[in-house]
Amino acid sequence: VTGEGLRTRVAAYRAIRRVHDDGAWSTRAVDAALRAGDLDARDRAFAANLAYETLRWEGTLDWALGQVLTRPLHNVEAELLDVLRLGAWQLLYGHVPDRAAVATAVDLARAEVGARATGFVNGVLRGLGRARLAWPSQETDDGLGLALAYPAWVVAEARRRFGERARAVLEGGNAAPGVTLRAVGDRDALLEELRAGGLDATPGRHAAETVHAPGADPGALPAVGEGRAVVQDEASTLVGRAVWHGVAELTEPRVLDVAAAPGGKSTHLAQLGARVVAADLHPGRAGQLADAVRRLGLGDRVAVLAADAGAPPLRPEAFDAVLVDAPCSGLGVVRRRPELRWRVEPGDPARLGALQLRLLESAAAAVRPGGWLVYSVCTWPLAETAEVVAGFLAVNGDRFAHADPATLACGAGAVLDGDHGLQLDPDCDGTDAMYLAAFRRTA
Ligand SMILES: C[S@@+](CC[C@H](N)C(=O)[O-])C[C@H]1O[C@@H](n2cnc3c(N)ncnc32)[C@H](O)[C@@H]1O
């Protein structure tokens, strides 16, 4: 079997099954399948790409398969459908010869589903290879969604949010994110160290502590193992910077992070000089947060607790700054979690936006007079970003004044949103599509 033979398809298939069956994150499912797969480096790269791309293009692949299937897609059993999707991605996008794509899918069906399935897989994929698909116009939400691998409703949301830029932002969500680190301590020393190790490391565009290291394996970097660097997207680092911006003139400011796990922003703030109370609703996730704090040697600067941000067990007005890095739809991190776009439901932005507003209002009670409040989410729909800020100001505008987002931008080319918040995105800023807004509590 060649490097692009059955074993790579089996590894990709098993990863995809875990994502669909157990709701696993694709990165974890792919890592686990590759570890179990006994593949060399080239095959691992092929299998990982095949799994991620098949997950990314899932809805488009289902549409294409629907054009040639004689029964409705939902009547195809889940195991078989994933075999078909893997084959369809290779046929439509994979630069794999049609015969190899069909033959390996048939072999995969035999190995993983059973001999009874082989005739069906062969027939459907040969049909797809021959078909002239009638792609809808990209002027429509359906058509652009199929062309860029997003559900039509996400395209509609993006058009409402970004207007003319919708296409570029959605395309940005399909780009490879590379590896981004936050230096702990001297960034130039970290750059030197990574370059000496053969990496093409470059400074971030916006945050003073960010380093891009495309091609790095973060788990294998001594700097990460020894706590001199943390894996963090530049957008998340900018959120930490935005919190710091509001308290930087204080000595050891008291900062509350109400949704803190796994701890990227809390540990950043502690390293900048804050005393942090870091809370998370889920005890298991609070445990991961406590591990991160220990690993980075920050136990004396960060207190961890499991608590609901909707009713934090804390004295009111006790903090110089409060961060609400709220649970969200995650559409801003689809570069790293390609399957997410098909999991989010059309009602999620409104539902999550309502939750975010509730958490923001509760957290606001912990801000002392004159203190600073930051709201952030790794997403972009209006209902989770600008509308939350508008809802917050409508009720709290007499006690909180929104800060000029331009002062938070650190030079980012981000879209300033109705003068209230800052929308970062991969197209403009090369970052995750994070949104942030900040407010000063009136004295
Ligand atoms: C976007 S993540 C936070 C990421 C974190 N700030 C970081 O930088 O590593 C949102 C977090 O909110 C937590 N969460 C969800 N609902 C919550 C609630 N009601 N109260 C507190 N935390 C909550 C989730 O467990 C999740 O860890």
Side-chain angles (χ1 to χ4, degrees), residues 159-224:
R159 285 184 156 137
R160 283 209 308 140
R161 178 79 171 115
F162 299 109
E164 295 281 293
R165 292 190 57 244
R167 185 191 181 101
V169 173
L170 293 172
E171 278 175 337
N174 289 337
V179 173
T180 304
L181 304 172
R182 163 164 59 77
V184 178
D186 187 342
R187 175 172 76 174
D188 290 339
L190 178 65
L191 277 167
E192 282 308 309
E193 175 181 337
L194 296 174
R195 287 173 183 156
L199 289 166
D200 179 22
T202 52
R205 274 156 65 185
H206 314 303
E209 49 276 80
T210 292
V211 168
H212 296 289
D217 171 5
L221 292 176
V224 172

Side-chain angles (χ1 to χ4, degrees), residues 83-313:
V83 173
L84 291 175
R85 286 167 172 159
L86 276 164
W89 183 80
Q90 294 166 71
L91 284 171
L92 295 179
Y93 304 106
H95 308 294
V96 175
D98 282 12
R99 275 191 44 213
V102 176
T104 50
V106 170
D107 290 346
L108 178 64
R110 184 180 299 109
E112 296 287 309
V113 186
R116 66 184 166 78
T118 54
F120 175 66
V121 168
N122 188 46
V124 172
L125 291 181
R126 287 171 69 118
L128 182 59
R130 281 193 307 267
R132 293 175 62 91
L133 298 172
W135 297 94
S137 156
Q138 293 184 20
E139 298 298 312
T140 65
D141 295 343
D142 274 328
L144 191 58
L146 289 172
L148 299 182
Y150 289 89
W153 74 266
V154 173
V155 175
E157 289 279 352
R159 285 184 156 137
R160 283 209 308 140
R161 178 79 171 115
F162 299 109
E164 295 281 293
R165 292 190 57 244
R167 185 191 181 101
V169 173
L170 293 172
E171 278 175 337
N174 289 337
V179 173
T180 304
L181 304 172
R182 163 164 59 77
V184 178
D186 187 342
R187 175 172 76 174
D188 290 339
L190 178 65
L191 277 167
E192 282 308 309
E193 175 181 337
L194 296 174
R195 287 173 183 156
L199 289 166
D200 179 22
T202 52
R205 274 156 65 185
H206 314 303
E209 49 276 80
T210 292
V211 168
H212 296 289
D217 171 5
L221 292 176
V224 172
E226 291 158 21
R228 285 175 286 110
V230 172
V231 177
Q232 188 172 58
D233 186 73
E234 189 159 29
S236 295
T237 302
L238 282 176
V239 172
R241 278 272 155 204
V243 177
W244 189 247
H245 179 81
V247 292
E249 77 283 3
L250 304 176
T251 310
E252 301 201 334
R254 294 156 300 159
V255 173
L256 169 65
D257 181 350
V258 294
K265 300 180 188 75
S266 277
T267 54
H268 183 200
L269 285 159
Q271 285 163 337
L272 285 168
R275 296 215 161 266
V276 182
V277 173
D280 201 276
L281 177 63
H282 300 290
R285 289 180 61 80
Q288 288 172 9
L289 166 62
D291 289 344
V293 167
R294 244 192 322 274
R295 220 175 25 250
L296 293 167
L298 295 168
D300 59 337
R301 309 200 66 87
V302 183
V304 174
L305 71 143
D308 183 352

Side-chain angles (χ1 to χ4, degrees), residues 360-441:
L360 185 59
E361 294 204 305
S362 309
V367 181
R368 71 160 166 81
W372 185 239
L373 175 65
V374 174
Y375 159 70
S376 61
V377 279
C378 56
T379 198
W380 49 258
L382 283 171
E384 293 183 84
T385 54
E387 289 174 10
V388 173
V389 170
F392 177 75
L393 287 173
V395 176
N396 300 281
D398 56 337
R399 289 184 307 129
F400 284 91
H402 74 81
D404 177 0
T407 63
L408 307 175
C410 303
V415 178
L416 300 185
D417 157 61
D419 292 341
H420 288 145
L422 188 70
Q423 179 70 64
L424 300 156
D425 73 72
D427 174 53
C428 234
D429 309 295
T431 64
D432 288 344
M434 194 105 198
Y435 177 85
L436 67 152
F439 313 88
R440 179 67 71 187
R441 167 88 198 265

